Amino acid sequence: MRKFVALGMALLMTASLALTGCGSSEPATSGGQASGSTEAAASSGGAAIRLVNNKVEIDAALKDLAAKYKDETGVEVTIESLGGGVDTQATLKGYYQAGNMPDIFVIEGDKDYPTWEGNLADLSGMEWTKDTDNGYAVDGVMYGFPTTTEAIGLAYNKSILDACGVDPESITSPAAMKAAFEAVDAKKDELGLTAVLGYCAEASQLYWSTGQHLFGTYIDEGLARDDTTYIDLLKDGGKLDDARIAEWAKMVQLFNEYSDPDLLVSGTYDQQVLNFTSGKYAFVTQGSWIGATMTDADHKDAYAEAGNFECGMAPYAFIDGQDTILTNTPNWWAVYKDGNVDEAKKFLEWCATNEGGQQILVEQCGFVSPYKSCSFVASDPFAQTIVDHTAAGKTSAWHWLSMKDGIGQNATGVVFQDFAAGNYTIDEFVETLKEVIEAYYAS
Amino acid sequence: MTESKSGNKSLSLGLLVVGAAMMGFALVLDVVGIRVGYRGPLLIAGALAVLAGLYFYPTIEHHRGIINFIFLFPLLFTFTVTVIIPMALGIGYSFTDWNGVKVNNYVGLANYTSMFKDPAFIWSIVLTFLFVIVNMILVNVIGFLLALLCSSKIRGTDFYRASYFLPNLIGGIVLGYIWQFIFSNVLIKLTASAFGMRNSLLSNSKTAFIAIIIVYIWQYAGYIMLIYITGLSTVPKDVLEAASIDGADAKTTLFKIKIPMIASTITICTFLTLTSAFKQFDVNMALTNGTGSVKFLGKTLSNGTQMLALNIYNTAISKNNYALGQAKAVLFFIILAAVSIIQVRISNSKEVEM
């Protein structure tokens, strides 16, 4: 009797463990196959696709988009949003290893293409490619579907500048920028401002703002969209152009001088955006994406209290005559080759060409549509300035996207922080920046 | 009797063959990528059949061995799937240029040689050892002092014990972000009004290192304290009484009686703090994310507060160099394995003495 109880127990334990064991071992050996869940859904209720989105703030809007698509076509689109400090590419690699790849996922251009090379579906020849110049293509083969346009520029609060008599259009030279800062500084107390500028060089969380975006202005500011001079130089062993970087460093020094000292070294993104939203800074060194934050549920009261002021962007002019802001598609939707390619393509086509799809993407997600035929304009505070600059041809591209992976976090971010903390003179700042960048490209 | 034995034997062999065939078929289905619903159940049924076959196998000689194997199988299986196989794969990947998705080339020992040429990695190793030594001493001293306090006759010791232990129950990431808030938003207001210092402790490598140590002690000293309290409570009362009759004061009792009597507890605590300090990751990541500038070997480094585990993580994830991260992880495993082996050796020899 005891023997049978023992046997029963052993079998039970084995069964339970074998079950869990299978759960983890099965996907590992079948990497490269379409996801089991997707396939199950596909076989049960017609077609279904899964989309991995990296902007958690537009999760609800994308779900509306999916619901509308289902109403019109009957195809289920599952939206999976990663966000809040999750490394999207690392998560996607995990999905790939587990054989759980989504049909549509996000890539950040040249940075991620080598990883996924050979796994992306060819999107050439689709209708939407004729309606935009911003698709992501490699060697003439289209891989990435653009959703929005983002801009990096010196964001300003128009009402404060008006009150100080500063014309933002005039900021096209370092001298004009300095004059603008001085004019605002003179009226700072009268207008109840905390500081002229919200510039934050904190390195552990905000390295991307300094090490990637602000450094990106050195690479692209004032150049034609296809001008790759400085990124090519950088890719060649991390070289910098001495004259240009020296002028650019003077601008960073100016930011250190006029920024809110409580924000400068140890501030946070939340603090920076909230103070700008509340009208405490005339300028802020963040890009157009803060528009979505300024109008969200947590910030809209503060924004309304500050008068829902008009926003715009001035060029980061560190050399005379620079008059562009940096605009680009920050990331693209790519289609997984072994996924449900046909349905995924139909969905992308619908998103780009269908009125209803574009309306949700623009008005609810706050996207600045890269499609020429799109007539919707987002209510986002920065949408108008992007549209205006684009119409006037005063934009440069984001070539900094192809800098070496992780350079802001692992190399340059800290240098900005130390410079802001007063540990470096301007020459030491440039020298240290050169040293860490060269070392990073060498390793 | 012989008839039933032979019956058993054929039953057993039948089960073994059928089970193996079922498992084999299921695995073949998996490898060639045919997806059918019954593949998983088939594999399990096969495994169960094999085990049952083993159980019924008529042998006196190996019976005990077979039973032992059947009982150990669940654990061995889980251990193999979750530890042994990933580790073997990991060591394999460390010799390639794996990027998390595919392997392009076999690169031999290139990952291992390149990591020692990287001053940032050497710095992480140095910093980790420094952190381990400082923490091993401080956590043990503070934990022991807290234990003395909480085992003395003052009122409310239970309350103190609970409150010192509480930080250990909070996860490292949460705890790290709480302290980051304290350092960057609370403390900074005090220092700004007192000395005009507007930069938090975390913005400078040296002070950030101290900040990490403070948080780590706060998190871990309570746990070590509990072990010391248990140790102290095992010191026999009659010995203490005899000492006090002989005229020993509190200090003599502590150094000549209590500490020698809990030597084995000290060994345990030392190694606990040693291994856990080596594996420090979450607090490090939440507090500074490894940033901070430092001059080392004539180079300016940007990872002034980055310890080994975080360095490995960042190499793989943020620098997108999975193979190099894997090679570093193998080295990390070797270091930790060495520490653990020494620990087991020392603990064993101590036990023999006692």
Side-chain angles (χ1 to χ4, degrees):
Chain A
M1 183 63 206
R2 201 191 279 164
K3 230 174 158 185
F4 281 102
V5 174
L7 178 69
M9 290 290 284
L11 290 180
L12 197 72
M13 283 168 74
T14 319
S16 63
L17 280 157
L19 275 171
T20 50
C22 274
S24 60
S25 65
E26 182 179 317
T29 50
S30 64
Q33 298 297 315
S35 109
S37 59
T38 312
E39 210 166 65
S43 57
S44 65
I49 50 176
R50 181 161 140 250
L51 184 152
V52 165
N53 155 45
N54 68 338
K55 285 173 176 276
V56 76
E57 61 271 25
I58 58 165
D59 180 61
L62 286 181
K63 281 181 176 143
D64 286 349
L65 183 75
K68 190 166 172 64
Y69 188 66
K70 193 176 182 194
D71 281 348
E72 290 189 11
T73 62
V75 176
E76 176 99 38
V77 182
T78 316
I79 305 292
E80 184 180 331
S81 296
L82 307 172
V86 174
D87 188 311
T88 318
Q89 294 302 316
T91 312
L92 284 169
K93 284 177 185 176
Y95 285 164
Y96 179 83
Q97 292 297 333
N100 185 28
M101 276 301 278
D103 303 287
I104 302 176
F105 61 95
V106 168
I107 60 165
E108 288 180 29
D110 290 344
K111 179 172 92 60
D112 296 329
Y113 176 74
T115 308
W116 300 108
E117 194 178 353
N119 286 308
L120 302 179
D122 180 359
L123 305 179
S124 310
M126 290 176 66
E127 282 302 311
W128 60 262
T129 56
K130 301 179 186 106
D131 197 26
T132 180
D133 302 324
N134 297 322
Y136 179 71
V138 178
D139 300 332
V141 180
M142 185 64 72
Y143 291 111
F145 173 88
T147 51
T148 184
T149 308
E150 283 185 349
I152 295 174
L154 186 57
Y156 58 81
N157 176 331
K158 185 82 164 45
S159 8
I160 296 178
L161 294 196
D162 286 347
C164 301
V166 173
D167 176 16
E169 300 281 324
S170 71
I171 304 180
T172 52
S173 67
M177 189 191 282
K178 189 154 198 271
F181 284 6
E182 277 165 358
V184 176
D185 198 43
K187 288 208 163 192
K188 196 172 76 170
D189 297 329
E190 189 186 321
L191 294 168
L193 303 184
T194 311
V196 174
L197 168 78
Y199 160 64
C200 182
E202 197 273 339
S204 74
Q205 313 293 328
L206 273 172
Y207 57 85
W208 46 269
S209 175
T210 48
Q212 286 162 211
H213 298 161
L214 191 54
F215 185 74
T217 64
Y218 152 77
I219 294 174
D220 289 310
E221 179 61 58
L223 304 182
R225 291 196 72 88
D226 55 358
D227 189 336
T228 57
T229 316
Y230 299 102
I231 187 70
D232 290 342
L233 200 61
L234 190 73
K235 281 179 176 169
D236 180 21
K239 291 199 188 75
L240 300 176
D241 181 87
D242 288 330
R244 190 173 166 93
I245 197 83
E247 293 303 318
W248 171 86
K250 283 182 196 157
M251 177 179 73
V252 180
Q253 193 180 34
L254 192 70
F255 290 170
N256 286 340
E257 204 176 313
Y258 282 98
S259 179
D260 175 3
D262 288 327
L263 180 76
L264 185 59
V265 180
S266 301
T268 61
Y269 177 71
D270 292 341
Q271 201 180 337
Q272 187 180 22
V273 177
L274 182 63
N275 282 349
F276 180 71
T277 310
S278 322
K280 299 286 182 196
Y281 304 145
F283 295 94
V284 71
T285 56
Q286 285 287 353
S288 62
W289 51 88
I290 64 169
T293 317
M294 289 167 70
T295 48
D296 74 9
D298 293 335
H299 292 77
K300 68 171 190 279
D301 291 343
Y303 189 38
E305 213 167 287
N308 284 329
F309 53 84
E310 195 187 318
C311 297
M313 278 189 176
Y316 279 107
F318 54 89
I319 292 173
D320 285 350
Q322 289 178 326
D323 60 355
T324 62
I325 61 171
L326 277 49
T327 63
N328 216 51
T329 300
N331 48 52
W332 290 263
W333 285 351
V335 175
Y336 182 53
K337 183 171 63 76
D338 294 330
N340 195 342
V341 177
D342 291 341
E343 287 300 332
K345 276 178 149 179
K346 278 184 204 155
F347 176 67
L348 294 184
E349 200 76 281
W350 181 84
C351 284
T353 54
N354 184 287
E355 287 271 304
Q358 277 294 304
Q359 188 172 12
I360 292 180
L361 285 173
V362 170
E363 292 181 356
Q364 291 191 37
C365 301
F367 284 175
V368 175
S369 180
Y371 298 98
K372 291 166 196 157
S373 63
C374 176
S375 57
F376 301 100
V377 176
S379 59
D380 184 281
F382 289 100
Q384 196 56 48
T385 197
I386 298 177
V387 170
D388 292 348
H389 277 90
T390 311
K394 291 185 174 176
T395 61
S396 302
W398 285 14
H399 289 112
W400 61 266
L401 280 177
S402 43
M403 290 193 296
K404 198 170 172 184
D405 269 343
I407 190 167
Q409 183 180 355
N410 298 295
T412 50
V414 175
V415 186
F416 286 87
Q417 178 171 301
D418 280 353
F419 186 37
N423 300 345
Y424 296 139
T425 64
I426 185 162
D427 294 337
E428 285 169 345
F429 170 61
V430 172
E431 284 311 310
T432 316
L433 208 54
K434 266 188 177 170
E435 187 191 336
V436 298
I437 291 173
E438 266 173 33
Y440 197 74
Y441 269 88
S443 72
Chain B
M1 188 66 203
T2 42
E3 223 170 26
S4 88
K5 215 172 194 179
S6 68
N8 260 353
K9 188 161 188 173
S10 55
L11 171 70
S12 154
L13 285 177
L15 279 170
L16 282 174
V17 170
V18 170
M22 284 161 87
M23 282 173 77
F25 184 59
L27 289 175
V28 167
L29 282 180
D30 184 55
V31 170
V32 299
I34 301 169
R35 307 189 73 90
V36 283
Y38 59 85
R39 199 182 63 194
L42 191 71
L43 187 72
I44 296 165
L48 291 180
V50 169
L51 287 178
L54 276 176
Y55 182 78
F56 286 121
Y57 194 76
T59 161
I60 305 294
E61 208 180 335
H62 302 297
H63 184 69
R64 180 167 284 274
I66 287 173
I67 296 294
N68 285 351
F69 172 75
I70 291 175
F71 270 98
L72 281 177
F73 177 76
L75 193 69
L76 286 177
F77 180 78
T78 321
F79 189 69
T80 311
V81 167
T82 59
V83 178
I84 303 289
I85 293 176
M87 209 177 109
L89 283 175
I91 293 173
Y93 281 137
S94 71
F95 297 107
T96 67
D97 65 349
W98 187 51
N99 66 0
V101 170
K102 55 184 180 276
V103 172
N104 287 327
N105 294 304
Y106 171 80
V107 298
L109 288 171
N111 286 325
Y112 289 90
T113 50
S114 77
M115 76 186 172
F116 287 109
K117 284 184 199 142
D118 178 12
F121 183 63
I122 309 280
W123 168 254
S124 281
I125 296 179
V126 171
L127 188 76
T128 310
F129 274 94
L130 204 65
F131 181 78
V132 166
I133 293 166
V134 171
N135 270 307
M136 210 167 70
I137 297 167
L138 286 180
V139 169
N140 276 291
V141 169
I142 291 171
F144 185 69
L145 291 178
L146 290 178
L148 282 182
L149 178 77
C150 289
S151 58
S152 66
K153 291 198 178 81
I154 57 167
R155 290 164 69 89
T157 48
D158 285 345
F159 173 74
Y160 289 125
R161 282 184 200 189
S163 38
Y164 293 137
F165 185 67
L166 205 61
N168 200 255
L169 301 176
I170 308 173
I173 290 280
V174 178
L175 192 133
Y177 282 116
I178 293 173
W179 275 90
Q180 193 206 32
F181 182 82
I182 294 176
F183 286 126
S184 300
N185 293 51
V186 182
L187 216 56
I188 206 170
K189 291 214 167 68
L190 301 177
T191 55
S193 59
F195 326 106
M197 189 180 112
R198 284 195 156 100
N199 307 342
S200 89
L201 287 180
L202 301 175
S203 65
N204 176 301
S205 288
K206 288 188 190 111
T207 50
F209 186 61
I210 295 170
I212 297 172
I213 290 175
I214 292 172
V215 177
Y216 185 79
I217 291 173
W218 186 73
Q219 181 189 19
Y220 214 66
Y223 180 60
I224 295 302
M225 170 198 79
L226 274 196
I227 302 175
Y228 276 123
I229 289 176
T230 321
L232 286 172
S233 67
T234 60
V235 178
K237 290 276 182 301
D238 47 350
V239 180
L240 293 174
E241 203 182 327
S244 76
I245 289 170
D246 286 344
D249 58 9
K251 198 178 135 200
T252 319
T253 318
L254 177 66
F255 285 105
K256 301 275 176 184
I257 301 188
K258 283 184 181 168
I259 290 182
M261 293 287 283
I262 61 162
S264 61
T265 313
I266 295 175
T267 319
I268 292 169
C269 288
T270 311
F271 278 105
L272 267 180
T273 45
L274 188 106
T275 43
S276 87
F278 253 118
K279 292 187 283 189
Q280 174 54 261
F281 173 77
D282 39 15
V283 171
N284 191 195
M285 179 169 173
L287 274 183
T288 66
N289 209 355
T291 56
S293 60
V294 69
K295 284 262 179 201
F296 182 65
L297 298 175
K299 304 256 183 197
T300 308
L301 302 177
S302 301
N303 66 336
T305 60
Q306 187 180 53
M307 276 175 262
L308 211 45
L310 187 60
N311 183 294
I312 292 169
Y313 174 82
N314 271 349
T315 306
I317 305 295
S318 119
K319 295 188 185 174
N320 195 14
N321 199 338
Y322 278 57
L324 182 60
Q326 197 58 59
K328 289 177 177 178
V330 170
L331 179 82
F332 190 44
F333 168 76
I334 293 170
I335 295 175
L336 276 177
V339 170
S340 305
I341 289 169
I342 295 169
Q343 169 190 8
V344 171
R345 282 278 161 81
I346 292 180
S347 314
N348 284 350
S349 65
K350 278 265 159 86
E351 272 166 31
V352 172
E353 274 170 33
M354 290 187 3

